[in-house]
Amino acid sequence: MQSEQPDTGRVNPDVIPRPEHNVSRAGISRESLKVLYRLKEAGYQAFMVGGAVRDLLLGREPKDIDVVTDARPEQVKQLFRNSRLIGRRFRLAHVHFGREYIEVATFRANADEIEDADPDHQLDHGGRIIRDNVYGTIDEDVWRRDFTANALYYNIADFSIWDYCGGVQDVRDGILRLIGDPETRYREDPVRMLRAVRFAAKLGFRLDPATEEPVHRLASLIDQVPPARLFEEVLKLFHSGHAAASFDLLQHFGLFKVLFPESDRVLSEEQAGDFRMLIQQALNNTDTRIADGLPVTPTFLFAVLLWGPIRELAEAKLANGMSEFAALNEAGDEVIAGQQACVSIPRRFFIPMREMLAMQPRFQNRQGKRAMRLLGHPRFRAAYDFMLLRAQAGEVDPELAQWWTEIQTKNPEQQGKESGSGEDRPAGATRTRRRRRRPRKAATPSNDA
Ligand code: ATP
Ligand code: MG
């Protein structure tokens, strides 16, 4: 097997004919087949590539299907009325079908073969690719892909698989092997370390020793990656159904520390291990929710991952005489501000996140109208779920958690009696109406906390 890029000349791929592999058109969406066939009929090369070929070889349903061709983006655009050119790091065509689209990329040339002077392809001082937009042929395209398992091409012309670097065998063996020299490839794009973790977690693959060796050493390069890109990668790691495994592997490789430095510090210092327990429990729940087709949100994920440092900082502020509510709010702001330097968290997620964390002390109070009001808070459900987690991690009295669970199953009259509030309505939708009729002063934070 050869997974190194050759120094000279062309390499012919291993062409695995249809009868010798299990990738069937039945596993490829109608729309993707349409795109592939239309390209082929127009005289272009057309391949399905990347994760889709890998997943189909493994008998898994691919998440999405990537198409690659020798047609230039403008030519793809001419061929498909329903297409748009997009230019993120690279220029690509999106062929739209209703709300879905198929991504069609043009073969790109490999990094090392481009002259340094070429303005379309440049490395920064650390060897990181900062621009990469040079078209090429399939046998150039293959070497810039990350893992051998991701560098397989399914040819729509005869349904064969083109394998330049032993990817089929690696898929069969469950091995992630970077193409080329691992250290160079990680330096070019440090996100590849996170991708290694993601695929290992998702597929249960192990890293080839040479691919694994540099990760610990180079983990800190992640901090050169734009925080917005890291936000996307973090979601892929934690919101794809294998969050618990991703967390373990990130920790194992010293990558969690780079992504969430403060959280990692609390994890390494804590005696009782309740923050770790909270994370593990939450990530297991996330994986179960995704398996059950239930929605998940970054608001909750980041609340979980940042709770340790926020709680710690809030406790310090509390000791200085601040109210619980104010302490949690301020601590939330400060920890989030520090975190943004590494993984950016969009406002629409961190505002509700801080709010649901600052609500935590209010669960201590099961008396009267305040308890009823908490039930009607728009963020009640998220805050309650978070409180349950804290109870599971040993941070909250299980009996208190039970009380809040039970109160929700009761009718409004019973809820009023249980809390001794005398309020005979639930605080939810009803409260909004009452409020409009008789505006009330907002509860002061320190009282409410
Ligand atoms: P998934 O199942 O998560 O979609 P995937 O392998 O398809 O996995 P994508 O992020 O969709 O991953 O990328 C598609 C393909 O593009 C990859 O299989 C790989 O060949 C190539 N690729 C993507 N990101 C990189 C990268 N950072 N470096 C090198 N090649 C990459
Ligand atoms: Mg993909």
Side-chain angles (χ1 to χ4, degrees), residues 363 366 368 371-372 374-375 380 384 387 400-421 426:
F363 285 100
R366 27 182 150 169
M372 288 294 92
L374 190 55
L375 270 175
F380 172 78
Y384 160 78
M387 185 272 296
L400 184 70
Q402 186 63 23
W403 188 87
W404 282 101
T405 303
E406 279 168 12
I407 194 93
Q408 293 173 73
T409 64
K410 306 214 155 124
N411 66 35
E413 201 173 320
Q414 289 170 312
Q415 285 180 352
K417 280 192 193 133
E418 284 286 322
S419 69
S421 73

Side-chain angles (χ1 to χ4, degrees), residues 251 256-257 260-273 275-276 312:
Q251 281 241 299
F256 188 76
K257 183 184 168 109
F260 296 95
E262 275 299 287
S263 306
D264 191 79
R265 181 188 55 76
V266 173
L267 285 170
S268 64
E269 287 171 5
E270 70 175 357
Q271 306 283 315
F275 180 38
R276 181 175 303 278
E312 188 189 87

Side-chain angles (χ1 to χ4, degrees), residues 29-58:
S29 70
R30 273 220 338 257
E31 292 78 13
S32 307
L33 286 172
K34 229 187 232 175
V35 170
L36 288 163
Y37 279 125
R38 173 101 51 101
L39 285 164
K40 180 189 101 125
E41 277 147 26
Y44 298 113
Q45 288 184 307
F47 295 84
M48 172 172 71
V49 69
V53 185
R54 175 199 70 211
D55 290 350
L56 287 165
L57 273 173
L58 290 167

Side-chain angles (χ1 to χ4, degrees), residues 350-364:
F350 78 65
I351 297 286
M353 170 195 131
R354 194 190 50 194
E355 194 178 357
M356 106 193 202
L357 294 183
M359 277 167 74
Q360 292 305 307
R362 292 173 61 179
F363 285 100
Q364 295 299 334

Side-chain angles (χ1 to χ4, degrees), residues 49-55 61-66 89-90 103 108 129 141-147 149-153 178-179 185 188-192 195 198-199 202-203 229 233 236 240 242:
V49 69
V53 185
R54 175 199 70 211
D55 290 350
E61 196 187 327
K63 197 183 73 196
D64 47 35
I65 288 183
D66 297 307
R89 264 174 86 212
F90 320 108
E103 195 165 283
R108 287 199 291 269
I129 297 181
D141 186 273
V142 62
W143 307 111
R144 39 157 295 279
R145 297 194 173 267
D146 46 8
F147 302 97
N150 286 349
L152 297 168
Y153 297 78
L178 268 174
I179 298 172
R185 302 307 309 282
E188 280 175 3
D189 181 4
V191 166
R192 288 173 186 149
R195 290 175 59 84
R198 173 153 71 89
F199 295 126
K202 167 175 164 164
L203 306 167
R229 185 170 177 215
E233 288 301 323
K236 288 183 197 168
S240 306
H242 46 76

Side-chain angles (χ1 to χ4, degrees), residues 231 297-300 302-303 306 310 329 332-337 339-340 343-358 379:
F231 174 74
T297 160
T299 302
F300 202 81
F302 283 91
L306 297 177
I310 291 176
N329 255 321
D333 274 344
E334 286 168 33
V335 170
I336 290 163
Q339 183 60 43
Q340 303 281 24
V343 180
S344 70
I345 311 166
R347 228 185 127 70
R348 67 181 183 284
F349 300 123
F350 78 65
I351 297 286
M353 170 195 131
R354 194 190 50 194
E355 194 178 357
M356 106 193 202
L357 294 183
R379 211 72 71 198

Side-chain angles (χ1 to χ4, degrees), residues 210-322:
T211 294
E212 176 166 355
E213 182 277 321
V215 177
H216 237 104
R217 210 153 35 80
L218 301 179
S220 64
L221 293 178
I222 294 285
D223 67 15
Q224 300 172 6
V225 179
R229 185 170 177 215
L230 290 179
F231 174 74
E232 297 299 327
E233 288 301 323
V234 164
L235 290 194
K236 288 183 197 168
L237 282 157
F238 290 106
H239 278 173
S240 306
H242 46 76
S246 290
F247 175 69
D248 289 346
L249 286 169
L250 287 173
Q251 281 241 299
H252 174 77
F253 287 116
L255 290 162
F256 188 76
K257 183 184 168 109
V258 191
L259 292 172
F260 296 95
E262 275 299 287
S263 306
D264 191 79
R265 181 188 55 76
V266 173
L267 285 170
S268 64
E269 287 171 5
E270 70 175 357
Q271 306 283 315
D274 49 345
F275 180 38
R276 181 175 303 278
M277 206 134 88
L278 179 123
I279 292 180
Q280 282 165 340
Q281 185 70 47
L283 297 182
N284 285 331
N285 296 351
T286 303
D287 289 344
T288 309
R289 285 183 70 84
I290 286 171
D292 294 344
L294 296 169
V296 290
T297 160
T299 302
F300 202 81
L301 175 68
F302 283 91
V304 165
L305 294 175
L306 297 177
W307 175 240
I310 291 176
R311 184 186 55 188
E312 188 189 87
L313 191 55
E315 274 163 14
K317 289 175 187 287
L318 209 58
N320 286 336
M322 204 179 258

